[in-house]
Amino acid sequence: MKKIGMGFICGAIFFTGISASASNLTAETKDYQLFIDDKEQVLRDKPISIQGRIDLPVREVAEAVGYEVAFENGTIQLRSNRNDEKKEGTTSSGRNVKLEKIPITQKLKDVEVTVHAIRLTASTTDFEVTVKNNTDDENITVDLLSTRVEANNNVAGKPSETVGIAPVNPDFGTVTIKPKKEIHGWVSTKGLVEKNIGNIAFRLTLRGNSEKRTFTFHIDCKDMKFRTL
């Protein structure tokens, strides 16, 4: 399996396109691995090869390096999260952030997410969350395939570890949160090898009627009492 490496992305992200009038072109998906700063990013949509050129999914790659993506009036907008740049601490992408103790609540465009607790098991890392849909007319679902957890970033003596969603998620797998409603449950990601955790970055993406909202929680796990089964 081939690997695609990206050392850094600065300022803007550029992706090439194909003219609508082009003919006799063959596109095929490729099982390429994408690495950003030597860390693998699992893509939901596979890269596409067109005449020897590799096209990547804009939204997934942009979000992996800290950009929000929106489609507005026929244009693709990429925006960095400047609030993160003003906080203290460090993330794997080099932006400054502040580690916080749970419970942590974040709000974005009339949707509110709270992380209440973290549970460690032999096979999963589970997050107890509440999602409140305060919109007037949007149905909200959890985009589980975009969920990512990074543990022990820049913790001395411990390698950082990144995992994606666990195979089983009964609380949020098929749930739609109606306007002015909320749901409480557990989001399960794959288990972490290291159980002595100094910090966790938990990314949760929600889908609305026309856009996605991505919440990233930078959690201080020092002296935390993790839940167990």
Side-chain angles (χ1 to χ4, degrees), residues 167-186:
V168 179
N169 268 273
D171 290 344
F172 289 97
T174 58
V175 171
T176 297
I177 309 167
K178 300 293 185 181
K180 305 302 181 182
K181 300 294 183 180
E182 67 177 69
I183 186 171
H184 177 91
W186 291 88

Side-chain angles (χ1 to χ4, degrees), residues 158-215:
K158 296 183 183 296
S160 64
E161 203 177 340
T162 302
V163 296
I165 199 66
V168 179
N169 268 273
D171 290 344
F172 289 97
T174 58
V175 171
T176 297
I177 309 167
K178 300 293 185 181
K180 305 302 181 182
K181 300 294 183 180
E182 67 177 69
I183 186 171
H184 177 91
W186 291 88
V187 175
S188 295
T189 65
K190 295 177 181 178
L192 295 164
V193 175
E194 175 62 58
K195 302 302 182 183
N196 185 8
I197 301 170
N199 59 56
I200 281 180
F202 171 52
R203 188 181 77 189
L204 185 69
T205 298
L206 307 179
R207 288 187 177 272
N209 291 349
S210 60
E211 64 178 328
K212 295 202 299 186
R213 299 167 173 85
T214 298
F215 299 80

Side-chain angles (χ1 to χ4, degrees), residues 87 100 104-108 111-115 214-218:
K87 297 179 183 178
E100 298 180 89
I104 304 171
T105 298
Q106 293 183 10
K107 298 178 181 179
L108 182 60
V111 177
E112 178 180 309
V113 178
T114 300
V115 177
T214 298
F215 299 80
T216 302
F217 298 87
H218 298 282

Side-chain angles (χ1 to χ4, degrees), residues 125-195:
T125 305
D126 307 324
F127 296 83
E128 183 185 13
V129 302
T130 299
V131 179
K132 293 183 178 181
N133 181 1
N134 297 317
T135 68
D136 294 322
D137 56 2
E138 281 194 83
N139 291 323
I140 300 296
T141 59
V142 179
D143 185 359
L144 291 175
L145 291 179
S146 296
T147 301
R148 292 290 182 273
V149 169
E150 182 180 3
N152 286 327
N153 182 61
N154 287 330
V155 175
K158 296 183 183 296
S160 64
E161 203 177 340
T162 302
V163 296
I165 199 66
V168 179
N169 268 273
D171 290 344
F172 289 97
T174 58
V175 171
T176 297
I177 309 167
K178 300 293 185 181
K180 305 302 181 182
K181 300 294 183 180
E182 67 177 69
I183 186 171
H184 177 91
W186 291 88
V187 175
S188 295
T189 65
K190 295 177 181 178
L192 295 164
V193 175
E194 175 62 58
K195 302 302 182 183

